[in-house]
Amino acid sequence: LAIASPTQGLVPVSNPSQSSRNHDVTPSSGPDRRVFLQSAALLSTTLLMPTTPALAMTEFQKVLLPVVRISNELAEIKTLVREKSNWSKALALLQDAKYEKANFKKAFNQVGDNFAGNAGADGGTPKNEQTVAYMARNEILTRTEDLRAELEYLIKNEDDTADLYKYADSAATAMGRYLGLLPPAEIDQARLALR
């Protein structure tokens, strides 16, 4: 019988069938007792250790968190607007301070600026890529503002929902295009941190 140890691999433990005939739970003195105590100590520390190590986030991933949070919310809003009973919840999400133009641009600009500063060995992100990112940000902002205005209107007035669905779809699609400009591994790490 062996117990897994994160530092020493498998640690042998005496076989219970080889223990004393009277099934005494206290191992005898000697090597078996020492192995038992070492194994018990390792097992207790192994059980007390967290199952997943703490995420060590890069500065870029930290800056990316608000944008990924917005992405997650836009995906949720896209689903919420399909049911009229969820419109108030969708609107409440869109009325959060992070969707105000200045806050929204600031979050996305930090990602764009940080991404440009963290480019690989090629010396930096080409200026046109950063420009494309800012254009994508502006498209997301416009679609989000349209979506919020349409929701506000429809909550007060009965009308056709085609524009509402179109705005929700286009906001989520624009966000997908924006995230497509960024390193997928960084986005995945930021998403993990938000769980």
Side-chain angles (χ1 to χ4, degrees):
L1 182 65
I3 295 177
S5 163
T7 57
Q8 298 177 353
L10 291 178
V11 177
V13 177
S14 62
N15 187 337
S17 65
Q18 295 173 349
S19 66
S20 64
R21 296 271 180 214
N22 64 3
H23 301 289
D24 185 7
V25 291
T26 307
S28 62
S29 60
D32 286 342
R33 180 177 172 80
R34 189 180 76 248
V35 170
F36 173 79
L37 292 174
Q38 287 174 343
S39 297
L42 285 171
L43 180 61
S44 67
T45 58
T46 302
L47 293 175
L48 295 175
M49 290 174 40
T51 56
T52 56
L55 290 175
M57 296 188 67
T58 65
E59 190 60 35
F60 182 64
Q61 291 163 353
K62 291 176 188 175
V63 169
L64 191 55
L65 284 175
V67 171
V68 171
R69 187 173 289 115
I70 289 171
S71 174
N72 292 349
E73 287 181 3
L74 288 176
E76 180 183 1
I77 290 166
K78 181 180 173 180
T79 302
L80 288 173
V81 299
R82 302 294 188 220
E83 294 290 329
K84 187 175 182 178
S85 62
N86 293 327
W87 287 358
S88 295
K89 183 177 179 182
L91 183 58
L93 287 170
L94 290 168
Q95 289 174 332
D96 188 80
K98 70 177 146 288
Y99 291 98
E100 292 173 11
K101 188 178 280 194
N103 295 335
F104 192 92
K105 284 186 171 186
K106 181 180 178 183
F108 280 79
N109 287 353
Q110 287 178 333
V111 170
D113 294 346
N114 197 293
F115 181 57
N118 282 333
D122 61 352
T125 302
K127 188 151 179 77
N128 63 348
E129 278 188 29
Q130 196 171 16
T131 301
V132 169
Y134 289 136
M135 290 171 50
R137 174 213 60 198
N138 290 341
E139 181 183 1
I140 299 163
L141 178 61
T142 299
R143 300 295 172 240
T144 302
E145 289 173 335
D146 292 344
L147 177 57
R148 182 176 48 236
E150 188 67 15
L151 266 172
E152 289 170 345
Y153 173 79
L154 287 175
I155 287 173
K156 294 176 186 173
N157 307 291
E158 290 290 325
D159 205 348
D160 184 30
T161 58
D163 285 342
L164 176 66
Y165 301 154
K166 179 178 78 174
Y167 296 145
D169 291 345
S170 63
T173 300
M175 178 58 88
R177 280 195 300 271
Y178 180 86
L179 292 179
L181 299 170
L182 304 174
E186 302 285 349
I187 296 165
D188 292 343
Q189 283 297 103
R191 283 198 168 120
L192 281 174
L194 290 175
R195 287 185 184 172

